[in-house]
Amino acid sequence: MSDTKKIKMVATDIDGTILKWDFGFTPEVKECIKNLSAGGVKVVLVTGRMHKAATFLADELGLTTPIVSYQGGMIKENKENGEVFYRKDLDSERAKEIIKWAKENNIHINLYMDDVLYVEKDDETIKKYTDARYIEYTVCPFENLDIKNVNKILAIKYGDAEAVTGWVNYLSKKYPELYIVKSTPYFCEISNNEAKKSCAVQYLCKKWGIKKEEVLTIGDQNNDIELLKAGGIKVAMGNGTPELKECADFITDTVDNNGFVKAVNKFCS
């Protein structure tokens, strides 16, 4: 394991890692991130969220580093008309096939194109998804859209984790060239194979001249397995999935008990 005094980047997931399930930050997390930034450590938010759904959180934390969104499908500056450093979209033809599969099986999907969220029905699923995240969305039949520049597709079934696991297994087998993963028990993410958290963190390391052993990565869900791979110190939250914990060097406390802060205090101070 690397020298704990030489961490130059903390790459962190948002939901369930630094953001509690009531969608709030603890004062301790805010103070911790403020101190890291003041000490010259680059704190990077690495999330499955769309870019627009992460910017206000970065602002609340006082972060000016680029945001990694869409599982690693985009790296973009956190400012108006910010520069896009990295972008890996979902193939348009594959996106059309997955839209067709979802429609045939009556599966709700969020379609993200050019950082705009589209849905076909203004139903309880999209209301539950967007309410706490403060996201705007557009209701439109997908056949009326020009399917291109697709950031990702998100299939959702609240309350039925088993069904979502089935989708991941089916789609992964059918489309081995894509990146398909659960980001919560009820979310199946479908993306470009290079839209991974690991790819994005590696890109930023190269851009900033930071070595892998100088990076602490931390998350809680299976989509964070790729994130942890990019770190010299790999931390799983106490509320993390069993699969993620297997990949970790260290398992910290839960998000409700400031597990992020405890990990940073252990490895970055």
Side-chain angles (χ1 to χ4, degrees):
M1 193 166 292
S2 60
D3 183 340
T4 59
K5 296 180 180 178
K6 292 185 178 178
I7 294 297
K8 294 181 180 177
M9 184 200 300
V10 173
T12 179
D13 170 56
I14 297 177
D15 298 283
T17 300
I18 56 172
L19 192 68
K20 296 187 299 174
W21 297 116
D22 63 4
F23 296 101
F25 295 113
T26 66
E28 292 84 359
V29 163
K30 285 186 174 181
E31 184 69 16
C32 177
I33 289 176
K34 179 182 175 183
N35 291 339
L36 283 170
S37 298
V41 177
K42 292 186 181 294
V43 180
V44 179
L45 302 183
V46 187
T47 181
R49 288 175 176 238
M50 61 194 300
H51 179 80
K52 286 180 183 175
T55 53
F56 72 98
L57 297 172
D59 291 342
E60 188 177 343
L61 294 168
L63 295 174
T64 57
T65 44
I67 295 168
V68 176
S69 56
Y70 295 111
Q71 305 299 348
M74 182 186 289
I75 306 174
K76 186 177 179 180
E77 286 181 306
N78 180 29
K79 60 184 181 184
E80 195 72 28
N81 300 315
E83 182 181 351
V84 175
F85 298 112
Y86 181 93
R87 181 168 175 173
K88 298 292 179 182
D89 289 341
L90 183 60
D91 176 79
S92 295
E93 292 308 309
R94 290 288 177 267
K96 290 173 187 175
E97 290 175 22
I98 289 160
I99 290 168
K100 183 172 182 284
W101 162 79
K103 188 178 283 286
E104 288 172 350
N105 291 280
N106 197 30
I107 294 167
H108 172 96
I109 61 171
N110 289 0
L111 173 64
Y112 300 83
M113 298 195 299
D114 283 325
D115 210 33
V116 176
L117 168 55
Y118 296 92
V119 293
E120 290 200 295
K121 295 177 183 176
D122 195 10
D123 59 13
E124 287 306 308
T125 297
I126 191 61
K127 284 183 170 66
K128 182 173 181 177
Y129 178 82
T130 57
D131 279 354
R133 294 173 173 83
Y134 308 103
I135 305 169
E136 295 179 352
Y137 58 95
T138 300
V139 181
C140 178
F142 292 160
E143 58 261 31
N144 294 351
L145 296 172
D146 185 10
I147 307 297
K148 63 180 183 180
N149 304 328
V150 179
N151 302 108
K152 74 170 185 180
I153 291 174
L154 173 60
I156 301 173
K157 189 160 188 177
Y158 287 114
D160 195 343
E162 191 175 328
V164 177
T165 298
W167 300 344
V168 171
N169 293 340
Y170 170 77
L171 293 171
S172 296
K173 193 171 182 179
K174 186 173 176 64
Y175 300 108
E177 72 278 15
L178 301 181
Y179 177 48
I180 298 164
V181 67
K182 286 179 84 166
S183 58
T184 80
Y186 310 127
F187 293 176
C188 170
E189 309 262 354
I190 302 140
S191 309
N192 182 301
N193 196 44
E194 293 178 76
K196 295 177 179 175
K197 294 186 176 189
S198 56
C199 298
V201 171
Q202 287 159 4
Y203 176 92
L204 289 174
C205 283
K206 188 174 181 181
K207 177 180 174 63
W208 292 329
I210 294 174
K211 299 173 184 175
K212 181 177 181 178
E213 56 266 29
E214 297 170 330
V215 180
L216 183 148
T217 50
I218 181 167
D220 71 309
Q221 293 292 321
N222 284 5
N223 61 322
D224 296 317
I225 290 171
E226 286 294 329
L227 174 58
L228 263 60
K229 285 180 182 177
I233 297 176
K234 305 170 178 64
V235 182
M237 296 296 291
N239 50 280
T241 65
E243 296 88 349
L244 184 75
K245 289 176 179 177
E246 285 181 14
C247 302
D249 299 319
F250 177 71
I251 299 169
T252 187
D253 210 333
T254 64
V255 65
D256 290 321
N257 291 323
N258 287 314
F260 173 85
V261 177
K262 291 172 183 176
V264 167
N265 289 342
K266 178 175 178 64
F267 293 109
C268 301
S269 58

